[in-house]
Amino acid sequence: MSTRRRIGGALAATGLALLAVTTPVASAQTGDPARGLYSVEGASTPDKRTEVARTGVDVAGSRGGALTIVATPGQAAALRANGFGLKSLGDFDSMLKQRSGRAGTAAVAGDFPPGDEAYHTYAETTAELQKAAKDHSDIATLSSVGKSYEGRELNLLKISDNAGTDENEPEVLFTCNQHAREHLTTEMCLRIVQRFTSGYASDPAIKKMVDEHEIYVIPNVNPDGSEYDITGGEYQGWRKTRKPVPGSSAVGTDPNRNWDYKWNCCGGSSNSPSAEDYHGPSAFSESETKAVAAFIDSRVVGGAQQIKTHIDFHTFSELVLWPYGYTKAETDTGLNEEEAKRFADVGKQMAGTNGYTPEQSSDLYVTDGDINDWAWGKHKILSYTFEMYPKDGGIDGFYPPASVIPEQTARNDKAVDILINEAKA
Ligand SMILES: [Zn+2]
């Protein structure tokens, strides 16, 4: 799961961290590909998973003891030397190419690869939001929380009765696509938009939720990255933002390690600009996280944060995760026993509707600087991460076929409703 990888500042002691910046070239010695996809055996505890993640590999999927990683030859060698069993699933870049061209037709520049055109590009997503706001102008307004590094609007759709007025109603936030290649999440946000606008006139339960709340949806937190990921109609396997890292040849920061709460505190993100979970040169160094945070900050009205509940969607592994990520402790500063129990109770309730596995974020391994820790730590927002379909993978873990979109987004309808109704609690 993309939300969960790291390398470790604090971890040089393992000796593995030194290998984290290994240049990604094919290894003549082992024949391992420049970027190999592997399943890892022997990572059955949080400490073991943390050890794997801290080598700087890209942890693509994680469920129970089974990790799927993208690793350079150096990283693969380091893991093997430390006793982990690595099963090669193939050359990641070849698999990306193959995945991009499986329909055997030429790609259309600017669109998803052949067969996946049902996924929405940034322009298509923007058009859908404009249409929703136009067709349902009484209950939907489109604005922006700011611009991405490359100048794209970070679209914000508000859905509520009297959407043009800031009413005194509990607010709910849904964010998608912090990680570029997790395109299914953008479809998830569009599903929420479609349900709560088109369904308003005909579905009394939808109408009640819309009338009694202010629902905010940000479908593309990282539009530069998601557009880059489909460059030339081929998938690039890109995760991060697109802003060059100052003083480095590397491009991109992991937006979900860039939030300003316990940022870079605990070895839950990488100090290496080339790593997939690089935390950035400073907290909120990225335009995108800074803009979304400023929007959330702006929802403090009369001293009270109006946004009560939040889901940040990711792929993949089918998990419902809650804070804190930076510590394995269930309670810590700003999160007492009663609050931790509420996170778990609501998380389990939501997981009961979609069949995901509910757990505290750090039950997998420690991450720092993520959106959930910030939203709770600073604003006491009941903030979750959903890792969507599939449960495990494979290349299709990153890029499931467009045919799964309807089922895998509708799968979260009930959980979304629970989250909305919890905003009143
Ligand atoms: Zn992610």
Side-chain angles (χ1 to χ4, degrees):
M1 82 193 93
S2 326
T3 195
R4 337 257 64 225
R5 40 150 305 60
R6 129 275 309 11
I7 172 187
L11 281 287
T14 65
L16 294 178
L18 294 174
L19 291 163
V21 293
T22 302
T23 311
V25 291
S27 163
Q29 288 164 320
T30 65
D32 284 340
R35 283 201 295 177
L37 191 67
Y38 301 90
S39 65
V40 183
E41 287 150 20
S44 54
T45 65
D47 284 346
K48 283 288 176 189
R49 289 190 288 274
T50 295
E51 191 181 337
V52 172
R54 281 176 176 169
T55 61
V57 300
D58 185 354
V59 178
S62 172
R63 187 177 168 86
L67 294 181
T68 305
I69 63 167
V70 181
T72 64
Q75 290 165 343
L79 286 169
R80 287 183 178 120
N82 280 271
F84 291 98
L86 261 60
K87 186 179 155 209
S88 176
L89 303 175
D91 176 337
F92 184 56
D93 290 291
S94 301
M95 292 170 89
L96 281 177
K97 269 211 173 307
Q98 201 173 24
R99 174 67 186 80
S100 301
R102 72 174 166 193
T105 349
V108 176
D111 202 352
F112 277 82
D116 284 345
E117 294 92 341
Y119 280 99
H120 289 73
T121 64
Y122 174 73
E124 290 165 348
T125 301
T126 302
E128 287 289 335
L129 299 176
Q130 288 168 340
K131 186 173 187 311
K134 182 166 168 286
D135 293 352
H136 307 276
S137 57
D138 49 336
I139 57 162
T141 56
L142 178 59
S143 62
S144 162
V145 300
K147 284 187 190 320
S148 69
Y149 172 73
E150 292 176 349
R152 294 181 177 89
E153 296 292 349
L154 303 171
N155 293 313
L156 171 74
L157 195 82
K158 178 187 175 186
I159 307 168
S160 187
D161 62 330
N162 309 310
T165 310
D166 183 11
E167 297 186 304
N168 186 23
E169 295 168 341
E171 301 180 10
V172 180
L173 175 66
F174 298 100
T175 50
C176 294
N177 183 223
Q178 271 207 86
H179 289 142
R181 66 192 172 201
E182 299 170 14
H183 302 287
L184 185 61
T185 67
T186 303
E187 304 304 320
M188 185 67 233
C189 270
L190 287 174
R191 164 79 185 177
I192 293 169
V193 167
Q194 179 268 330
R195 257 186 95 215
F196 287 93
T197 54
S198 298
Y200 185 77
S202 57
D203 184 332
I206 294 277
K207 182 175 188 303
K208 188 170 191 300
M209 282 185 271
V210 171
D211 286 348
E212 296 178 358
H213 300 86
E214 295 178 306
I215 301 168
Y216 291 104
V217 187
I218 304 177
N220 292 113
V221 172
N222 180 11
D224 299 352
S226 61
E227 286 294 286
Y228 177 77
D229 190 57
I230 56 169
T231 303
E234 284 190 7
Y235 291 127
Q236 308 296 314
W238 192 257
R239 168 186 171 92
K240 301 192 284 183
T241 63
R242 290 297 301 164
K243 181 182 173 183
V245 179
S248 160
S249 59
V251 172
T253 285
D254 183 341
N256 208 29
R257 299 293 184 280
N258 191 236
W259 292 76
D260 192 10
Y261 189 83
K262 301 280 183 182
W263 177 81
N264 188 22
C265 72
C266 307
S269 56
S270 177
N271 295 322
S272 167
S274 63
E276 292 291 345
D277 64 344
Y278 174 53
H279 47 53
S282 59
F284 290 148
S285 58
E286 304 309 286
S287 319
E288 297 83 4
T289 51
K290 198 175 172 183
V292 175
F295 164 69
I296 296 171
D297 287 343
S298 79
R299 296 315 303 146
V300 176
V301 179
Q305 172 58 252
Q306 303 298 297
I307 299 172
K308 303 300 182 188
T309 60
H310 166 236
I311 299 174
D312 189 44
F313 288 97
H314 291 258
T315 63
F316 60 94
S317 287
E318 300 189 355
L319 303 169
V320 172
L321 303 171
W322 56 82
Y324 284 125
Y326 75 82
T327 174
K328 286 195 277 185
E330 285 179 28
T331 59
D332 203 352
T333 310
L335 178 58
N336 66 29
E337 209 166 308
E338 189 186 342
E339 292 162 336
K341 184 176 183 305
R342 186 180 175 216
F343 264 116
D345 286 348
V346 177
K348 286 172 188 169
Q349 201 186 335
M350 292 191 291
T353 68
N354 59 15
Y356 291 6
T357 299
E359 60 190 356
Q360 185 181 337
S361 176
S362 54
D363 284 351
L364 281 167
Y365 44 80
V366 170
T367 58
D368 50 37
D370 75 30
I371 189 171
N372 304 128
D373 282 6
W374 181 86
W376 176 260
K378 181 167 185 193
H379 288 293
K380 293 265 174 173
I381 295 168
L382 201 72
S383 177
Y384 291 87
T385 281
F386 276 27
E387 294 281 355
M388 294 177 67
Y389 174 91
K391 195 177 290 187
D392 42 42
I395 192 73
D396 278 2
F398 294 92
Y399 301 106
S403 57
V404 311
I405 294 171
E407 184 184 351
Q408 294 304 329
T409 56
R411 182 176 176 178
N412 286 319
D413 288 351
K414 288 197 177 75
V416 163
D417 294 353
I418 289 170
L419 196 278
I420 290 173
N421 288 314
E422 189 65 24
K424 276 201 217 109

